[in-house]
Amino acid sequence: MKVCIVGAGSLGSLLAAYLVKGGVTVGVLTRGPQAAAGKSCAVEVRRVFSNDSFHVENITNLGNMKEISDYDLIFLAVKAFDVLSVVKKMHDDNIIDPARHVMCLIQNGLGIEDSVRFYFPRVPILRASTTNGALLEQPGVVKHTGSGETFLGFWDAEKHAGWETMLDALRDSLVSAGLHAELASNMRQKVWEKAIVNAGINPVGAIFKVPNGRILEIGSLKSISDKLVGEAMAVARKGKFIEKFDGFSAVKKVIEATAANRNSMLQDIEKGRKTEIDFINGAISRAGIELHITTPWNDALVAIIHGLEATCGV
Ligand code: PAF
């Protein structure tokens, strides 16, 4: 199995490194500075939670999008708001063969699969959801700031026949490299569960500029997080998007496992980049409107994050 990772930010670089460590042939396509580094690149992973590091080499640096055709599994590790333009380009350049390729999405947030489905109705979509925390210190050096869980599974049950072996191999290589990875048959639910967790952590950390752990320690931050999660849970329950899921304990568990992490939304704000707020709290507010559930806390935090984006140079 050959895996191509599109987007070598924090999560893309972390994933590339663990896959290579697990014996997979990996290529990356990125617009970042490492794109100019030549035909192969290396990644160093510094693990904060176990105070050690590892280094992998021989990651092929793809020169352009056309080279993706040579790979079997295409991991889109770009931000949620970039997925549509990336898949449009793949479509316009005729790069994807539905008989050969599987597309995997690993972003935070809701509704991202629709962009892939719009351009590629027949390509199997694999969904990954992870609570690992990562921070790209510089191109090729990623800090693994929180050891979380990764769930993998196909998005549409009827489209996965024949691809199970590939999915098993993917899980096995991540596990052998030291990640906690599991297959899940209910990825739609897992993605909602993760969105609820992100809704309760990401904007709070981003607004108050604190690592995840502080949200549990500072009473007022914890109560804002609880309000966001309570609304998200009400929407998800009414829409039957989740079953037997306790969002409050899930947020606590993820915060404890990633206490040192500056969440991805905070990293975006600090780097003057657009955030994924519209796919997280924004998507929860929109689902609330459809289901006639009010979500004032989520609406307010979406507006504040948009304000921060506007004032931090986006
Ligand atoms: O977006 C993030 O940063 C991550 O999804 C998580 C798990 C909240 C850790 O910070």
Side-chain angles (χ1 to χ4, degrees), residues 108 130-133 194 198 201-202 212 254 258 261 263-264:
N108 287 329
T130 185
T131 52
N132 280 283
K194 176 72 194 307
N198 285 122
I201 296 177
N202 293 30
N212 296 350
V254 172
T258 62
N261 195 45
N263 79 65
S264 55

Side-chain angles (χ1 to χ4, degrees), residues 11 79 106-109 130-134 145-146 148-149 194 197-202 211-212 254-255 257-268 276 280:
L11 204 52
K79 290 285 180 180
I106 193 165
Q107 294 69 19
N108 287 329
T130 185
T131 52
N132 280 283
T145 45
E149 294 171 319
K194 176 72 194 307
V197 168
N198 285 122
I201 296 177
N202 293 30
N212 296 350
V254 172
I255 289 182
T258 62
N261 195 45
R262 299 177 81 76
N263 79 65
S264 55
M265 198 172 285
L266 171 56
Q267 292 179 37
D268 289 337
E276 294 181 318
I280 303 173

